Amino acid sequence: MSDTVIKVENVSKLYRLGEVGTGTISHDFNRWWHKVRGKEDPYEKIGQTNDRTKKGDSDYAWALQDVSFDVKQGEVLGIIGRNGAGKSTLLKILSRVTTPTSGQIKIKGRIASLLEVGTGFNPELTGRDNIYLNGSILGMRKREIAKKFDEIVAFSEVERYIDTPVKRYSSGMYVRLAFAVAAHLEPEILICDEVLAVGDATFQQKCIGKMKDVSRGGRAVLFVSHNMASISALCSSAIILGDGKLVAKGSVDSCIERYFGALKTTSLTWERNPAEASKSPIHFTAASIEIEGSQPSITLHVDLQVKSVREHKPAFLAIDITDATGIGIMQAIPTLECVIKDEPAVKNFKISIQLPPMVPGNYSVTLWMGPHNSETYDEKASVVSFEIVNSPTKGRSYPHSRDHGFVVPTSKLVLQH
């Protein structure tokens, strides 16, 4: 396996919906008889793709189907996919919680798993006892655990409650201690399934920093999250699962952009559905965008419908530009002020925005209109989108990437003697 620590080869997992077993003694006996003769399970042939949105004709569903990929030492692999795509099933197989129906997995090293809040914790034991329990499960000696104990408690920030049974912990405290144990007891492979969803923002940043330290130390990390900003900040590569199958694997940016498939095709126009009623005194009805050049200046055309209102209030327009993961890149607030008069009207605006040199990728525009920050007349997210196809660094020896930001300012190097 050389520097490969996880090798997944054609792994599939078949589940029966509803009852455990096949449902009848004759079917159970049939399955057992095929197994003792070394034959294929006859019920695997009727398993259907795991599309949870549709009712199938079979009681069998493939949670995973022919999934193959490798994870190298020091690699941080992001696993992306919607709910029901097979992410948790894959991690449970890797963590040896369940076995695959077919295929094989080769693992080199110890695995620490955080599949949900407090995985592996005994709720009746104290935080202190659970630290030693988890360390023992990982195959560590008591002396090794004691050496890391103070560091684990300091990271989790639950020192006051360390001798309290963890069943009395809040979900945030639970996940703090569970993550601290898994990350500090030095497994060769760390598996995290949505562990950052419970913690607060400060703790999430600590976790991301710790997982980066873990990977720099030569250990592999498998990270599942629906937060694409966390995936982008932490992972060095990614895979996409869909309906139990491997959809794509490659760089983080390419996988995220494929996951947000709607943004992959540039959308230059938008019109409000007439059936979408709005009670707001003012709302957006249409928008379009003009692009000039590969590093464009963009021109937005915005139509507003103004209804009859009792008060004359100034309305302000704000334009947010975000990347494919939803991270805000910039906000434009045009020098525009329109007073809403007590009469229906349609207003048309033209807004020109000169963009700075930006990293290639897909970006979208969100429109907001309101009288002040605490009140909103209307907001439409990702009404139009565009793609940057070139940058000042494209084709050079050191291409710019999103890891270093989204804007590429023009700069000049002058050597002084």
Side-chain angles (χ1 to χ4, degrees):
M1 294 174 64
S2 62
D3 61 343
T4 301
V5 294
I6 298 178
K7 190 173 186 64
V8 178
E9 297 178 327
N10 304 114
V11 167
S12 299
K13 181 64 177 180
L14 181 69
Y15 284 117
R16 186 183 192 276
L17 307 179
E19 302 172 4
V20 177
T22 58
T24 65
I25 294 176
S26 62
H27 286 184
D28 284 339
F29 179 79
N30 190 22
R31 169 177 280 174
W32 172 82
W33 182 239
H34 277 73
K35 183 177 181 180
V36 297
R37 291 185 299 153
K39 301 290 186 180
E40 182 182 2
D41 188 332
Y43 300 101
E44 290 183 16
K45 300 176 182 179
I46 58 176
Q48 293 184 324
T49 301
N50 186 29
D51 186 351
R52 60 190 176 88
T53 64
K54 299 178 182 178
K55 181 175 177 61
D57 300 323
S58 171
D59 290 335
Y60 294 86
W62 290 104
L64 290 175
Q65 203 165 4
D66 295 324
V67 174
S68 300
F69 62 90
D70 296 341
V71 181
K72 297 187 180 300
Q73 186 176 2
E75 181 178 358
V76 183
L77 179 69
I79 303 177
I80 304 171
R82 64 177 185 171
N83 293 331
K87 305 185 300 298
S88 295
T89 300
L90 174 62
L91 297 191
K92 286 177 181 178
I93 292 174
L94 291 172
S95 304
R96 299 186 179 93
V97 175
T98 186
T99 57
T101 304
S102 61
Q104 62 177 345
I105 297 175
K106 299 176 182 177
I107 298 175
K108 185 168 67 176
R110 296 176 300 186
I111 293 180
S113 301
L114 280 173
L115 303 185
E116 57 186 33
V117 176
T119 300
F121 274 19
N122 185 326
E124 300 298 329
L125 298 180
T126 65
R128 182 186 302 275
D129 293 337
N130 273 293
I131 292 175
Y132 282 94
L133 173 64
N134 274 257
S136 300
I137 292 173
L138 286 174
M140 299 184 71
R141 297 178 181 274
K142 185 176 180 180
R143 182 178 55 191
E144 295 177 276
I145 303 170
K147 184 178 179 181
K148 291 281 185 178
F149 184 86
D150 291 340
E151 190 177 347
I152 292 171
V153 174
F155 185 92
S156 64
E157 299 176 358
V158 294
E159 183 175 3
R160 185 176 183 181
Y161 307 94
I162 198 63
D163 291 312
T164 300
V166 296
K167 67 180 180 180
R168 297 193 175 97
Y169 285 16
S170 69
S171 57
M173 293 166 59
Y174 222 125
V175 78
R176 279 174 175 269
L177 186 58
F179 180 87
V181 170
H184 286 80
L185 292 183
E186 298 184 351
E188 281 74 28
I189 302 165
L190 177 61
I191 296 178
C192 302
D193 187 1
E194 290 289 5
V195 294
L196 303 185
V198 179
D200 53 43
T202 303
F203 176 67
Q204 290 180 18
Q205 291 302 315
K206 284 181 65 175
C207 288
I208 289 176
K210 184 60 182 178
M211 282 190 276
K212 287 182 177 179
D213 292 341
V214 167
S215 64
R216 282 194 288 265
R219 290 174 280 168
V221 178
L222 275 68
F223 181 56
V224 171
S225 179
H226 291 288
N227 187 331
M228 294 301 109
S230 296
I231 292 282
S232 181
L234 177 64
C235 301
S236 55
S237 60
I239 62 173
I240 303 176
L241 293 178
D243 296 331
K245 298 179 180 179
L246 184 66
V247 176
K249 55 183 176 181
S251 68
V252 175
D253 286 346
S254 64
C255 286
I256 289 176
E257 290 191 6
R258 181 160 180 173
Y259 180 64
F260 288 98
L263 292 180
K264 200 166 182 64
T265 302
T266 301
S267 174
L268 300 179
T269 61
W270 166 81
E271 289 187 10
R272 194 184 196 99
N273 188 338
E276 185 184 349
S278 175
K279 297 181 181 179
S280 172
I282 180 171
H283 60 264
F284 300 108
T285 58
S288 63
I289 188 172
E290 297 177 8
I291 299 177
E292 301 175 11
S294 58
Q295 284 291 332
S297 62
I298 62 174
T299 302
L300 279 170
H301 297 270
V302 179
D303 294 345
L304 296 170
Q305 174 68 53
V306 180
K307 297 180 179 180
S308 179
V309 292
R310 294 181 180 179
E311 299 180 11
H312 292 204
K313 291 183 179 180
F316 300 96
L317 176 66
I319 301 164
D320 290 314
I321 298 178
T322 60
D323 79 327
T325 69
I327 297 176
I329 307 304
M330 65 188 73
Q331 184 181 75
I333 303 178
T335 54
L336 163 75
E337 180 178 311
C338 65
V339 176
I340 302 176
K341 298 181 179 180
D342 192 14
E343 58 184 19
V346 175
K347 295 185 179 290
N348 310 100
F349 298 107
K350 178 179 179 181
I351 307 106
S352 296
I353 303 174
Q354 182 65 51
L355 298 179
M358 294 165 64
V359 175
N362 290 292
Y363 300 88
S364 62
V365 177
T366 293
L367 301 175
W368 178 90
M369 174 68 79
H372 46 70
N373 292 335
S374 61
E375 184 179 350
T376 297
Y377 285 146
D378 195 14
E379 182 175 15
K380 297 302 295 183
S382 303
V383 288
V384 291
S385 61
F386 59 92
E387 182 180 5
I388 300 291
V389 297
N390 199 0
S391 79
T393 59
K394 188 172 183 179
R396 297 185 183 178
S397 301
Y398 300 95
H400 197 92
S401 70
R402 297 185 185 186
D403 294 338
H404 306 289
F406 294 87
V407 177
V408 189
T410 302
S411 58
K412 184 177 181 181
L413 177 64
V414 179
L415 294 177
Q416 295 181 332
H417 299 285

